[in-house]
Amino acid sequence: MVRFEIIFSRLRRHMGIPEELLNYIQWPAMIVTITASWYVGAERKDNRNRGFWLLLLSNLLWFIWAIPNSAWALALLQVSLAVTNIRGVWKSSPK
C-alpha cells in the first residue's frame, strides 16, 4: 500500500495539486453522497439511476481523498461500494 501512496504523491506533485485542495475534497464528497442517497431512494426510476451515478462520483471523490491520507480502509470500502453501484446501474438499466 505504501508504494501506491508514493506513486499517487508523485502524480499529485506532477499535476501541481496542492495538498490543501485535496483536504477540501471530503466536503463535496459528503454532499454528493448525501444527494445520491436521496436520489437512490426516489420512486422514479430515472432519479434512482441518477443516484447510482452520483454514488459512483462520490466513490471516486472519497477514493481520491483517502489515498494521500493513508485511509486504506476507506479506499478499499469505496472500491467495494463502486462495484456494488456499478452492479446497481447495470441492474436498473432497461433490458
Side-chain angles (χ1 to χ4, degrees):
M1 293 283 190
V2 174
R3 184 170 177 82
F4 190 66
E5 182 180 4
I6 291 169
I7 292 169
F8 192 83
S9 177
R10 287 180 184 165
L11 179 64
R12 181 181 54 79
R13 278 191 306 242
H14 177 70
M15 293 174 62
I17 301 171
E19 192 166 334
E20 298 81 32
L21 181 63
L22 284 175
N23 288 332
Y24 290 115
I25 288 177
Q26 62 185 325
W27 292 105
M30 180 193 66
I31 292 168
V32 171
T33 303
I34 292 168
T35 304
S37 299
W38 181 269
Y39 277 115
V40 166
E43 290 183 17
R44 290 180 43 193
K45 189 170 182 151
D46 59 331
N47 282 342
R48 285 194 309 271
N49 195 33
R50 184 176 294 126
F52 284 122
W53 286 105
L54 285 172
L55 280 172
L56 285 172
L57 175 61
S58 77
N59 295 141
L60 178 63
L61 291 171
W62 281 117
F63 186 81
I64 289 170
W65 181 83
I67 297 301
N69 288 292
S70 299
W72 304 117
L74 180 62
L76 182 59
L77 173 66
Q78 295 310 312
V79 170
S80 302
L81 290 173
V83 170
T84 304
N85 293 332
I86 291 168
R87 181 180 176 267
V89 168
W90 180 67
K91 288 277 193 174
S92 69
S93 62
K95 296 184 177 163

